Amino acid sequence: MRRVIVFSMAILTALNASAKGDWRGKVVDEKGEPVAYANVAVLSRTDSTVLCGAVTEEDGTFNIVTRESDGIMMVAMIGYRTQYLKPVDGMVITMKDDTAMLEGAMIREFMPKTKLTGEGMQTTVRGSVLENAGNAADVLAKTPGLIKNQNGLEVIGKGSPLIYINGHKLTDSSELERLQSNEIQSIEVISNPGAAYDATVRAVVRIKTIKRQGDGFGFSVNASDAQSLRWDKGNDPSASVNVNYRNGGVDYFGGINYSHGSYRQLSEAETTSYYTKSGVVNELKNIGDIDGIFQGQNLYANAGVNWQIADNHFMGGKLEWGKQLSYNGATTIYSDVIENGTSTDKLTTVTTDEMGGGPYFNLGANLYYNGVIGGKMGIDINFDYYGSSESVKNASEEESSSASDADIAANSNNDAHMYAGKAVLSYPIWMGQLQAGTEEAFTRRSDEYGITGVAIPSSSATVIEDNYAAFASYGFMLPKLGMFNAGVRYEYVHYAYEDAVTPENNLTRNYGNLFPTLSYAGAAGPVQLMLNYSSKTRRPDYSSLSGAIRYNNRYLWQSGNAKLQPEISHNLGLTAIWNFVTVMVNYTRTDDAIMFWSSPYVQDGVIDGVVLVKPRNLDVPYRNLSAFVNLTPTIGPWTLNYTLGAMPQWFKLTLDDPREAGGKRDVSFNGKPLFIAQLFNTFTLKRGWQLELGTTVQSKGIIQNAYMKTTYCDLTAAVQKTLLRDGSLILRLEGSDLLGLANMDVGTDFGSHTIDQFNMMDTQRVKLSLRYNFNTAQSKYRGTGAGADNKARMGSGK
């Protein structure tokens, strides 16, 4: 693999060394804003053969180094008219909107402009109604291609994205709260990440901020307080301070953030298990009320420096540190145990979770260099470290009406370390750009788990994973046809799991996979179109690989699965944009899909009613489709952002069920698609006032192996006031789940075991926030990071 990388780099270096001449310039739109990733090519005057070319940088600049002294320069970009002109060094080229694509847009100067980029959709925030939407999180929730649900932000049909701000990977979600909407230039939603991204990355969001001019000191202060309307102890204050100082080519930045989180969930659950004992099928029902609460405090800090050594040469470093200041959880379960129609036990289980005696923190570091050598060859190099340490102790007290009471205590200590590096070279060839590189990540994780008071084995496990990757891609544009991109990524993974307590669970695996990506973007009259294909993988979280059994109560246990295989998916996508209408369709087939499953626990060949919940791979393909339409018209001060769609899926399993004569039963997870509607309304008024009213509605339906049994409805509202002459002070009052209907009732069928749970979520809240910016300038940090997937999978398994 290293020979492949060295060979690619040698080709690019040779091409760079053989070039002569120099034509520099900049491509801008009609407002003078830079046009990034436009294709600039020099054509022969005799037969229009492409002689050489380049792709514009994020600031719109390009540099064509060539032996040619004459020709015709062509500049092309989806959404703009193609320009043909005589090449002159130092020229500024103004691209004009393709009016055929915007025909009939009576209000286009107010509505956010969305266009295809070849990788995804780019929405301009500056100068649109989104400029006053609040913070970056508010803007993303209203950006075409994204949808906000109870799990957070997701790219439609792709799941949670990796988010980049000015090229650096987001590692602290509170940064979206600190970044204000009026500081954002554009947002690009990439539904088909190319070969340069880890094969586990299914979607990317790139946020580009407005370039600030000048040196000096600036800071921003953010403070908020959210109060639950269902729980008086659900009060969550948060505050952050960020500073930035620029002097010449050096940029220093840092920040600190405090947050308090609380949550309560009330549930009614009924679990039914069927098992064979002494040749007789038995039914065991567990009907209970659940009251779970959680409170915790976190502190996060970061500091870094960016140094612009010279034009097109940058390097820097960043440190990030986070600490769990407190963590307290308590769950009370009142259960009525009914066996074969007769009540056999009334069980009360009280479980507490808190920080253990060990450390509880995470630490991350990034060093980077990126620049351009010889005017054409781009280089981007990143080195990353990430480490985390967690210590949690659990205690459960059980009172039983028919058996002896029990006291169970458990302790868990986890330590993980990751080292990663990534190098990417890019070079303009013909009418496009060739990119090649390598990425390596090395992860070590140890899990110590001990439990007393119940016959469950302890665990002392070590996980080793080494990931090597090489990738290459080429993108180009053909006049009157569109933009084409093709790439391939090869990943080799060595994985080893060792448990000193239960060595029979030890295993070693090696994987080698190719992951191709293809995309096309063009136009059919006034309609912009994009087609794409990609192959991706999903590797289980490290906590899901732990063989340790976690105790919930005497009838319900939970564990990981060290034998999990990575899932492989194949994705097809279609996106079409006309005026303010965007249509998105995605189809995915997944092999070895990972889902959590519930089944009877077998110990020494005996089944006694205990149910074990653990992840497993499906033995049949999991197929799903998402089809959505997004509408973003503006009518005077009223801006609508409506997203409507459906999510059907297809898979059927043959599951164990002792009630059947053959011991098996077919269970279908087809035919009940989810329908989703997000209806956001924004009213931009005079004197800095803004009103918002929105709702998210999700129908009943099946998602993966769970059936949503009720209609979910989250009604939100907000009022915002911008103060001071420069708009640097913003007050915002908002409310969520105002109708109290944002609850998720779930049913599952595992063959020999079913679960029905009715939930009341702690989502009915009001929040007051204040944001003040003084001479703020977004950091020029350009580190893109490495080992993104490994870092994400090192998260807590609590």
Side-chain angles (χ1 to χ4, degrees), residues 698-716:
Q698 179 178 293
S699 72
K700 301 177 183 179
I702 298 178
I703 180 168
Q704 292 195 342
N705 58 347
Y707 175 57
M708 304 299 150
K709 305 182 69 172
T710 57
T711 299
Y712 170 97
C713 179
D714 182 9
L715 179 67
T716 61

Side-chain angles (χ1 to χ4, degrees), residues 81-99:
R81 295 179 183 176
T82 301
Q83 301 270 25
Y84 296 91
L85 38 91
K86 181 179 180 180
V88 178
D89 188 31
M91 65 196 313
V92 177
I93 304 167
T94 301
M95 302 293 286
K96 295 183 178 181
D97 286 330
D98 190 336
T99 55

Side-chain angles (χ1 to χ4, degrees), residues 215-504:
D215 296 334
F217 173 78
F219 70 89
S220 65
V221 178
N222 298 271
S224 67
D225 190 24
Q227 174 62 50
S228 170
L229 300 180
R230 288 177 169 167
W231 184 36
D232 58 354
K233 295 182 180 179
N235 182 259
D236 297 328
S238 66
S240 66
V241 177
N242 293 275
V243 297
N244 188 280
Y245 176 72
R246 291 183 178 183
N247 185 14
V250 183
D251 173 33
Y252 305 93
F253 60 92
I256 188 168
N257 179 75
Y258 163 83
S259 64
H260 181 281
S262 63
Y263 193 77
R264 187 182 190 185
Q265 179 175 326
L266 302 176
S267 302
E268 297 178 3
E270 179 177 320
T271 63
T272 306
S273 301
Y274 302 95
Y275 62 97
T276 302
K277 190 174 184 179
S278 302
V280 178
V281 177
N282 291 267
E283 178 192 76
L284 181 68
K285 282 185 178 290
N286 194 318
I287 303 173
D289 296 325
I290 304 171
D291 185 353
I293 61 174
F294 161 80
Q295 289 185 319
Q297 300 179 85
N298 292 277
L299 190 65
Y300 167 84
N302 73 84
V305 60
N306 181 80
W307 178 28
Q308 185 172 354
I309 306 169
D311 289 343
N312 295 321
H313 292 278
F314 300 85
M315 66 181 301
K318 183 179 183 180
L319 285 173
E320 297 176 293
W321 171 84
K323 183 174 178 58
Q324 186 90 40
L325 300 178
S326 66
Y327 172 76
N328 295 283
T331 304
T332 302
I333 305 176
Y334 302 97
S335 301
D336 188 5
V337 181
I338 302 172
E339 189 165 2
N340 298 322
T342 302
S343 178
T344 58
D345 195 5
K346 293 188 181 296
L347 187 67
T348 300
T349 305
V350 179
T351 302
T352 58
D353 305 289
E354 59 185 27
M355 294 172 59
Y360 206 126
F361 70 93
N362 58 73
L363 178 67
N366 170 257
L367 294 173
Y368 81 91
Y369 164 80
N370 64 52
V372 178
I373 296 178
K376 299 186 75 172
M377 179 183 287
I379 299 179
D380 190 354
I381 300 174
N382 281 265
F383 297 99
D384 277 74
Y385 165 78
Y386 184 80
S388 66
S389 182
E390 300 173 357
S391 180
V392 178
K393 59 181 180 181
N394 317 90
S396 295
E397 297 180 358
E398 287 188 349
E399 296 181 358
S400 173
S401 64
S402 62
S404 58
D405 297 343
D407 292 320
I408 297 97
N411 290 277
S412 176
N413 295 282
N414 305 316
D415 290 284
H417 303 273
M418 182 209 70
Y419 305 87
K422 184 176 183 178
V424 184
L425 297 180
S426 58
Y427 191 88
I429 296 177
W430 190 47
M431 298 183 64
Q433 184 152 307
L434 175 66
Q435 188 179 74
T438 179
E439 183 174 11
E440 285 80 30
F442 308 96
T443 304
R444 303 293 183 267
R445 178 183 172 100
S446 62
D447 295 313
E448 300 288 337
Y449 179 75
I451 187 168
T452 60
V454 65
I456 292 178
S458 298
S459 175
S460 179
T462 300
V463 174
I464 298 173
E465 184 174 295
D466 299 330
N467 190 319
Y468 306 86
F471 55 86
S473 65
Y474 181 68
F476 63 97
M477 183 168 187
L478 294 178
K480 299 182 180 181
L481 290 180
M483 300 176 65
F484 298 83
N485 191 288
V488 64
R489 182 182 180 98
Y490 176 77
E491 291 191 356
Y492 176 81
V493 179
H494 168 73
Y495 169 79
Y497 176 89
E498 297 180 359
D499 193 327
V501 177
T502 55
E504 62 272 15

